[in-house]
Amino acid sequence: MSRRPNTSRRFADGGSIPFVGGLHPKSRPSPLLSIGLVVVGALLIVGYLYHGSGGRSGDVAALNRLDGGVSCTLELQRLIPILKKAYGDSMRKVLHVGPETCSVVSQLLKEEDTEAWGLEPYELDDVDGNCKSLVRKGVVRVADIKFPLPYRPKSFSLVIVSDALDYLSPRYLNKTVPELARVSSEGLVILSGYPGHQRAKVAELSKFGRPAKFRSSSWWVRFFVQTSLEENETAIKKFEQAAAKKSYKSACQVFHLKPLH
């Protein structure tokens, strides 16, 4: 399910290692030696990224950089403690909508007094045993969000969506965003990429159907007004206060909306 690049392959594609050829000008290095050096180099890079970034949240940022863009779903995993502070009891029953939802749901389930479900808008590829278990239990489902969601009104206290709406045209957004607000009783949180921050890889186009279109905050505000969705000023204020205490600045746009009544 992960779409991160194969770092080892990039190193291997760079050609032979200079100092090996210098020691044995008439001989080629052993394939096992080359593979071993590549593995060691990859481990050193990962270790550097992790230790130099201050743990889990920094590791997510490092992985984002390696991906050549920003994943709002990975960013969401950094945001969960801040959302917990901002929304309090509204985080008791959460639906996450977006790719990599198994990872998000697994993290949410570790939070105290929080139940979580996931909706994967695309096919689940190369999933691990934990994700298969969540799907088998019905905690995570696969559904096309361009159509009515398979939930009753106000089924969840809070709905969080990431890396999903940027791939929809306005034609479908007009239906999907109100539908997301419909199944929430207390709020909808949208994470969207900033214009110019990320581009879909060619390999992903067959999965997402179209390249991501990252819209400005002013575009989203106009869209919310046109679709009769109201921003949640109370949640915005609490979120900003919680983020300021942790000196946190999101790599994605975060919008807080009221549910449909």
Side-chain angles (χ1 to χ4, degrees), residues 61-237:
L63 288 171
N64 279 342
R65 290 195 297 273
L66 284 176
D67 276 341
V70 174
S71 164
C72 290
T73 297
L74 287 174
E75 189 72 15
L76 172 58
Q77 295 180 52
R78 299 177 64 198
L79 275 175
I80 287 175
I82 296 175
L83 289 171
K84 190 84 172 177
K85 287 282 187 182
Y87 282 90
D89 291 340
S90 295
M91 290 278 287
R92 66 185 179 277
K93 196 173 182 181
V94 180
L95 172 69
H96 172 254
V97 179
E100 311 287 349
T101 192
C102 287
S103 298
V104 176
V105 169
S106 295
Q107 185 173 344
L108 284 167
L109 290 173
K110 295 176 183 177
E111 297 290 324
E112 187 176 358
D113 300 325
T114 298
E115 296 179 86
W117 289 263
L119 190 63
E120 168 67 58
Y122 313 106
E123 291 182 4
L124 288 169
D125 300 320
D126 302 324
V127 297
D128 57 19
N130 176 60
C131 189
K132 289 179 181 177
S133 175
L134 292 173
V135 173
R136 195 164 49 246
K137 295 175 182 176
V139 176
V140 169
R141 303 174 68 171
V142 178
D144 191 337
I145 60 173
K146 296 192 294 291
F147 301 97
L149 300 178
Y151 303 109
R152 295 178 179 178
K154 304 185 186 302
S155 293
F156 308 95
S157 55
L158 188 68
V159 174
I160 305 173
V161 56
S162 60
D163 286 330
L165 301 182
D166 294 327
Y167 290 92
L168 297 182
S169 66
R171 170 191 173 190
Y172 290 113
L173 283 174
N174 289 334
K175 299 176 181 178
T176 299
V177 179
E179 183 70 0
L180 291 166
R182 177 188 69 82
V183 301
S184 167
S185 63
E186 297 180 37
L188 169 63
V189 179
I190 296 174
L191 276 74
S192 174
Y194 284 102
H197 274 201
Q198 179 179 316
R199 290 291 180 268
K201 302 174 182 64
V202 174
E204 292 180 337
L205 295 182
S206 60
K207 181 171 185 176
F208 297 132
R210 56 176 286 154
K213 182 175 179 59
F214 299 101
R215 303 164 173 99
S216 66
S217 59
S218 59
W219 187 96
W220 280 110
V221 170
R222 288 195 301 272
F223 172 79
F224 298 147
V225 172
Q226 292 168 3
T227 50
S228 302
L229 293 167
E230 186 179 352
E231 290 193 83
N232 190 333
E233 297 296 338
T234 301
I236 292 172
K237 184 176 181 179

Side-chain angles (χ1 to χ4, degrees), residues 18-39:
F19 70 83
V20 175
L23 289 174
H24 302 282
K26 294 184 179 181
S27 63
R28 299 180 66 183
S30 164
L32 291 176
L33 176 60
S34 299
I35 293 171
L37 289 171
V38 168
V39 171

